[in-house]
Amino acid sequence: MKIKFTVLIFILFGIRGVAQIPDFLGIPNPTPSVNKNPAPKSSSSVIVNSTVLPTEKPSFDVKSSRRENIHSQTEKMIAEDMRQMTKDEGIRIQKENYEKAEEKENAIYNFPSLSGKAGAKSYYEAFDKLSSLDNNNYSVGEANFIVENAYFDNKKSFAKFLSQTKETVKLLKRKMKELKFDTLSNSSKNLMLFKFLSEDMNIKGKSHKALKYDFEDYMGRKDWTKTFVHKLIEKGSGQCHSMPLYYLILAEELGAEAYMSYAPNHSYIRFMDEEEQWIDVELTNGMFTGSSLILESGYIKSEALQNKIYMNNLSKKELLSQFYTDLANGYIHKYGYDNFVFKTINKALELSPNNIFANMIRANYDISRFELAMKNLGINPRDKEELQNIRNYPKAVFLLNNANERQDKIENLGYEFMPEEAYESWLSNMKKEDNKQKSEEMAERMKIINAQKQKERAEALKKSPPVKKEEKPKTHAIPKEWL
């Protein structure tokens, strides 16, 4: 084989036109000698050292040479594959080590996922449903139903809720005609809503009772459903979260313009009367109030008013931010903290960066996450000397900075903590006789002004009656999964 391989090289060199014969192993380099009696030259042979070599191409095993080339190429491919396998294995081990380190770090710095808990899936579905709504044009009743139904594991019927709402509004329209209220006046519609929620009355031969304030567990610490509109409708009692929401749901169906507004630990309704004056509706006491009574709480700073976290009419987008906040709050009460809370609260803050309730939940989340990390690292965060050890853990420092920054933002927004006893005292002060009297005077004044405006509109219509237009009834698409 070696000889054949040598011959092949010789021929290849010959083809390339190399004149010198290489010194190949096994074939000595021929040295021609002078022959005094040279034989006559023949076209078929050449004399070298008295040896006759044929001038034709030598025969060699082409198939064997090809096999050797293939074998050589195969060995190269195997070697390359082995190198790649070694490289891939190194990458795999590196990735595996990274994932293990990441998993270990997640266990230290992050809340464990609660998504496997019974009913948690309903919250993820609720988040997706809220995300599908138009930020500036959606049904308040639908958004609130989505939030509350998540807590009930999606077992409530939206069709039933919508039917109840429509039936109530139908009765309110009849009552407006009975009382000779102007059905086109926004002020009259809001006055009707106020009377319905705060006064006993007969509607179509049925006795209706005013809503009552539920003083028992009004913060929903023991039973989160105490804050729900569902509970208010079923029990006839609620608190400062459910009452204003129910008002807005009915107002939307009635076609009345009204807004949600906040005060420390509190929410209430605002609307504009016929004289373009803002009226505050305090449903917890069944009274009309003014801004001065809200300010009397003593916990509203000028910064809070400048940043519009209190006493500001919420837009639909800002109200949707609060629905996301309520969704996160319900999840916390039912399960606790995990990444779902982080995702949901961040969505709320995206819609309304100054939402004070969303900022507070985010602050609580950040603090709780930092404390979890400290517990896992064996550091007491309330011991100043021990706390210095977090310098060895950059991620822990990052979490602490996040918590501090959120606290700073809340303070800069103008928030001041209001103790429960101060809140309860403030609500009680609203019931003072002089405040009740002012409320009655405001209601009477609105009634007189509305009647006057109604008369003026009626006279104007006689002079130039409007062209009748066909109005399409309001429709609400009910998702199949809710039926």
Side-chain angles (χ1 to χ4, degrees):
M1 292 297 291
K2 190 176 292 186
I3 294 173
K4 292 176 181 177
F5 182 73
T6 305
V7 171
L8 175 62
I9 295 297
F10 174 82
I11 291 173
L12 287 173
F13 269 78
I15 291 172
R16 294 178 64 175
V18 179
Q20 183 179 350
I21 301 173
D23 188 12
F24 289 114
L25 183 64
I27 300 181
N29 196 7
T31 303
S33 61
V34 179
N35 193 338
K36 293 180 180 180
N37 299 307
K41 291 184 179 180
S42 171
S43 62
S44 61
S45 65
V46 177
I47 305 299
V48 180
N49 285 340
S50 301
T51 303
V52 178
L53 295 178
T55 57
E56 291 84 357
K57 290 182 180 180
S59 63
F60 58 92
D61 193 342
V62 175
K63 289 183 180 181
S64 177
S65 176
R66 286 178 179 174
R67 279 197 298 270
E68 284 199 9
N69 285 338
I70 293 171
H71 180 70
S72 176
Q73 291 175 6
T74 302
E75 285 183 339
K76 288 181 181 179
M77 290 173 63
I78 292 172
E80 181 62 30
D81 289 343
M82 290 298 293
R83 281 194 296 271
Q84 188 62 42
M85 286 173 64
T86 303
K87 183 179 178 182
D88 291 345
E89 179 65 11
I91 293 172
R92 186 192 67 77
I93 293 172
Q94 187 180 11
K95 184 181 178 183
E96 190 177 278
N97 291 336
Y98 174 79
E99 289 174 349
K100 286 179 179 178
E102 189 178 47
E103 186 178 341
K104 185 178 179 181
E105 185 178 81
N106 284 337
I108 293 172
Y109 296 106
N110 293 323
F111 292 108
S113 175
L114 303 171
S115 60
K117 296 278 187 180
K121 183 182 177 183
S122 300
Y123 273 89
Y124 286 84
E125 292 173 352
F127 181 91
D128 292 339
K129 288 173 184 175
L130 286 181
S131 299
S132 70
L133 300 179
D134 185 327
N135 294 345
N136 300 301
N137 184 23
Y138 61 91
S139 163
V140 175
E142 181 184 354
N144 185 72
F145 179 86
I146 290 170
V147 173
E148 294 185 1
N149 199 33
Y151 193 87
F152 294 124
D153 300 338
N154 286 343
K155 292 179 180 177
K156 296 292 182 180
S157 168
F158 181 65
K160 181 180 178 181
F161 170 76
L162 187 60
S163 176
Q164 288 175 332
T165 303
K166 287 182 174 295
E167 184 61 29
T168 300
V169 170
K170 189 185 294 183
L171 294 175
L172 289 176
K173 288 179 178 179
R174 288 180 181 176
K175 191 64 180 178
M176 286 184 74
K177 291 179 180 179
E178 181 187 319
L179 296 173
K180 294 183 170 49
F181 278 13
D182 185 356
T183 56
L184 299 177
S185 165
N186 185 63
S187 181
S188 293
K189 290 175 183 177
N190 278 286
L191 184 58
M192 184 70 252
L193 284 169
F194 170 77
K195 291 175 72 67
F196 174 74
L197 297 176
S198 61
E199 298 177 9
D200 295 341
M201 63 175 64
N202 288 314
I203 304 178
K204 198 181 175 183
K206 293 182 179 181
S207 177
H208 165 74
K209 294 292 182 181
L211 295 180
K212 295 180 180 180
Y213 187 80
D214 189 353
F215 287 94
E216 184 181 347
D217 190 27
Y218 61 87
M219 291 286 189
R221 288 195 177 94
K222 296 178 182 177
D223 181 4
W224 185 241
T225 64
K226 287 268 192 172
T227 67
F228 285 8
V229 171
H230 273 94
K231 179 263 179 184
L232 180 148
I233 294 173
E234 290 178 2
K235 304 294 183 181
S237 64
Q239 36 75 280
C240 70
H241 179 266
S242 58
M243 285 179 169
L245 275 175
Y246 188 45
Y247 188 107
L248 285 184
I249 291 168
L250 294 177
E252 181 179 65
E253 190 65 33
L254 184 60
E257 185 176 344
Y259 299 90
M260 178 84 80
S261 191
Y262 292 129
N265 297 350
H266 194 66
S267 60
Y268 60 101
I269 294 295
R270 302 185 82 210
F271 70 88
M272 186 175 283
D273 66 10
E274 294 290 347
E275 294 182 314
E276 297 186 353
Q277 298 294 318
W278 285 106
I279 304 296
D280 296 342
V281 182
E282 186 47 68
L283 296 167
T284 56
N285 291 315
M287 293 167 53
F288 288 120
T289 65
S291 298
S292 60
L293 201 57
I294 302 296
L295 289 168
E296 280 180 13
S297 69
Y299 289 85
I300 299 180
K301 295 180 178 180
S302 59
E303 294 93 337
L305 296 176
Q306 291 169 5
N307 291 307
K308 298 181 179 181
I309 67 173
Y310 296 139
M311 302 178 70
N312 174 60
N313 298 343
L314 297 187
S315 66
K316 290 295 284 283
K317 188 176 181 180
E318 289 168 329
L319 185 60
L320 185 59
S321 168
Q322 189 56 40
F323 282 124
Y324 277 103
T325 304
D326 289 346
L327 186 69
N329 219 344
Y331 188 91
I332 294 166
H333 277 79
K334 193 170 185 179
Y335 303 109
Y337 290 110
D338 72 354
N339 193 59
F340 178 82
V341 175
F342 182 77
K343 176 179 76 169
T344 308
I345 268 318
N346 282 350
K347 181 64 177 180
L349 291 170
E350 177 188 321
L351 294 170
S352 179
N354 286 359
N355 182 330
I356 189 61
F357 301 107
N359 273 287
M360 289 170 68
I361 289 180
R362 175 59 194 273
N364 289 336
Y365 174 90
D366 288 343
I367 292 169
S368 298
R369 187 180 173 191
F370 173 71
E371 289 181 341
L372 174 70
M374 292 300 94
K375 180 182 177 182
N376 292 334
L377 292 171
I379 298 173
N380 180 4
R382 289 164 181 80
D383 186 316
K384 291 183 179 180
E385 290 186 10
E386 256 190 80
L387 188 59
Q388 300 307 311
N389 293 328
I390 70 169
R391 295 173 181 175
N392 302 319
Y393 305 98
K395 190 69 175 284
V397 174
F398 172 77
L399 294 180
L400 179 60
N401 288 338
N402 272 355
N404 288 334
E405 286 173 9
R406 188 62 54 176
Q407 290 283 353
D408 290 341
K409 174 164 187 178
I410 290 172
E411 288 181 13
N412 292 334
L413 286 173
Y415 172 79
E416 184 176 355
F417 174 71
M418 186 179 192
E420 283 186 36
E421 53 272 19
Y423 173 69
E424 291 170 3
S425 175
W426 174 61
L427 286 182
S428 297
N429 288 336
M430 284 188 182
K431 294 181 180 179
K432 287 180 179 179
E433 195 59 37
D434 57 338
N435 289 330
K436 286 184 178 181
Q437 187 176 346
K438 287 179 183 177
S439 175
E440 291 170 2
E441 289 173 357
M442 290 172 71
E444 187 61 28
R445 183 176 61 83
M446 274 192 289
K447 188 176 178 181
I448 293 170
I449 293 172
N450 291 346
Q452 181 62 34
K453 293 289 183 180
Q454 184 178 9
K455 185 178 178 180
E456 291 174 2
R457 277 192 287 267
E459 290 175 354
L461 286 173
K462 286 180 182 179
K463 294 178 181 178
S464 56
V467 179
K468 290 186 177 181
K469 294 182 179 180
E470 291 186 5
E471 292 186 2
K472 295 182 179 180
K474 288 183 179 180
T475 57
H476 295 268
I478 302 174
K480 291 182 179 179
E481 62 268 23
W482 290 2
L483 298 173

